[in-house]
Amino acid sequence: MSPRTHLELDLHSFSSADVKAAFVGDGLLYYLAIFPYRLAGDLGAVVMAAGIVASLTAGRRLWNVLRRDAVPGQADQRTVFLGASAVLICVILGVATDGEPRFIYLPVILLTILGVTAVANRAGHWAPAVLLAMAALAGVTTLATTQVIGHGAMPGPERLSDSTRPVAQQLASPEPCLIVTGYEPEMGWYSGCDAVTYRQYRQMDPPANTQINFVLFERGRLQPGPALLETLTHGHDTEVRTIPTHGSVGDATVITLRP
């Protein structure tokens, strides 16, 4: 049986969905969906919301002052500047890039500072006690979050690594190599090869004198269907092999383009 025929038979075990292009504003919708709880936890959500309210209130006061041609207060100017900066950073990054929580750590910090300041100002002479209570709650929630991540969230990436790591290690090569996969950070790191997604590969010219490997997992993400994969490999002799794994996305089928 030729490699091409073997490839056509093996494709039916994978998802038939083609790689979908991200649309403009996809990241912004993601930020709105996770804001603010998943960015900062229970207490952080309350504090960040207080920061947004404080920014809006300061903005309204500042607008009223400017309409009367009076001198605006410096505190309101700082609050509006920091609050507007936090929101604009989220909007700009959300429109220009894919949504990733790590991209908006600065807005989270800014809104947290504004929120703590607003709560302290509202508390008046109770401010020291209120701030101390918030610090204590922050410590408790941090410990609780650490336990949740350590025992709940981390096993997921570890199970994924049990699939991606052994495949990437077998694809490591001293020669120039490129891996096309839905898990390009992990595969590139463990293999030492360049790694791109299928979407990126479709937009680039295949590099010359480079071993190119297409990797598809049984339950993988962002993988092409049979029609698209046939297009990507058209005109090339291929070598197909299966690499068994014990990870969460199952065994891998590796399609190597022969020079």
Side-chain angles (χ1 to χ4, degrees):
M1 180 180 292
S2 67
R4 175 69 64 183
T5 304
H6 183 59
L7 169 61
E8 292 172 353
L9 292 176
D10 281 352
L11 287 178
H12 298 288
S13 61
F14 297 99
S15 169
S16 61
D18 287 346
V19 177
K20 295 181 180 179
F23 55 88
V24 176
D26 182 35
L28 180 59
L29 293 179
Y30 174 74
Y31 291 144
L32 292 174
I34 67 173
F35 179 85
Y37 173 75
R38 289 184 60 188
L39 288 173
D42 298 302
L43 181 60
V46 174
V47 174
M48 289 175 65
I52 292 177
V53 172
S55 299
L56 293 175
T57 302
R60 186 172 63 250
R61 286 197 302 265
L62 195 59
W63 173 251
N64 291 333
V65 168
L66 292 175
R67 288 181 60 186
R68 297 194 301 268
D69 293 328
V71 178
Q74 292 186 355
D76 284 342
Q77 292 183 68
R78 286 194 298 267
T79 300
V80 171
F81 174 76
L82 294 177
S85 297
V87 173
L88 285 175
I89 289 173
C90 292
V91 171
I92 293 172
L93 291 178
V95 171
T97 67
D98 295 333
E100 290 288 346
R102 66 179 183 273
F103 293 165
I104 56 172
Y105 281 158
L106 177 59
V108 170
I109 294 172
L110 292 179
L111 291 178
T112 300
I113 293 173
L114 291 176
V116 171
T117 303
V119 171
N121 290 337
R122 288 285 184 177
H125 69 277
W126 292 101
V130 171
L131 292 177
L132 181 61
M134 290 179 64
L137 285 173
V140 172
T141 56
T142 298
L143 291 175
T145 301
T146 301
Q147 292 299 314
V148 171
I149 292 175
H151 295 88
M154 287 306 296
E158 289 174 355
R159 290 193 297 271
L160 172 61
S161 179
D162 288 339
S163 283
T164 57
R165 184 176 60 251
V167 176
Q169 290 173 341
Q170 289 198 39
L171 296 179
S173 172
E175 303 298 328
C177 52
L178 175 69
I179 297 178
V180 187
T181 174
Y183 302 92
E184 75 282 3
E186 300 94 332
M187 299 292 289
W189 174 265
Y190 288 119
S191 67
C193 300
D194 293 328
V196 296
T197 64
Y198 284 94
R199 175 187 170 196
Q200 292 169 331
Y201 183 79
R202 292 171 63 190
Q203 298 171 347
M204 63 184 288
D205 294 326
N209 302 318
T210 300
Q211 177 180 291
I212 300 176
N213 296 292
F214 296 100
V215 179
L216 303 103
F217 289 96
E218 289 180 289
R219 296 178 292 277
R221 66 179 185 183
L222 301 178
Q223 299 185 158
L228 178 55
L229 193 56
E230 179 68 23
T231 300
L232 295 177
T233 58
H234 181 71
H236 296 275
D237 290 330
T238 59
E239 177 184 352
V240 182
R241 54 182 164 139
T242 299
I243 300 178
T245 77
H246 300 288
S248 59
V249 292
D251 297 341
T253 293
V254 179
I255 304 163
T256 303
L257 302 186
R258 291 177 174 173

